[in-house]
Amino acid sequence: MRMAMGDDTVTRLAVYYALLAFSSLRLNGLHQQAIQLKILAIHSLSASAKKEPLSLAEAAQHVAASMLLGSFEVGSARTIKRNSISPLILLA
């Protein structure tokens, strides 16, 4: 939580959005808002990867956001398999 609310960097935003996406998935299942938050996290990670060099704190935030997004993917795959939801329907 401290990583998501600390400094004002792009990597902090990546952690923040990834945490919101994962939380949204766990609370409400796979839906459009969770996917939009995931996309915002990915865009923030992409922007932070272009910045050189990353500080130690930013690198840790980058890893934390990546791990949260990985957990999101595992959770969304379970939701899709369990409910037989087509992910393309959610993007419409």
Side-chain angles (χ1 to χ4, degrees):
M1 192 64 154
R2 197 175 298 158
M3 284 184 166
M5 298 304 217
D7 53 4
D8 190 27
T9 62
V10 180
T11 52
R12 181 203 63 87
L13 283 176
V15 174
Y16 178 74
Y17 289 133
L19 184 59
L20 287 177
F22 182 72
S23 298
S24 181
L25 176 70
R26 296 291 294 160
L27 289 173
N28 304 314
L30 189 60
H31 55 92
Q32 190 170 5
Q33 183 183 17
I35 293 171
Q36 289 172 339
L37 289 164
K38 175 187 133 180
I39 291 169
L40 287 171
I42 291 170
H43 285 297
S44 297
L45 273 178
S46 175
S48 74
K50 293 175 186 172
K51 181 184 176 239
E52 290 185 28
L54 290 177
S55 69
L56 185 59
E58 290 171 323
Q61 288 170 325
H62 197 93
V63 171
S66 298
M67 292 174 70
L68 284 165
L69 287 171
S71 297
F72 179 95
E73 289 303 315
V74 170
S76 63
R78 287 182 185 154
T79 301
I80 290 171
K81 187 175 180 181
R82 182 175 48 235
N83 297 329
S84 299
I85 299 172
S86 171
L88 298 177
I89 292 173
L90 294 169
L91 297 176

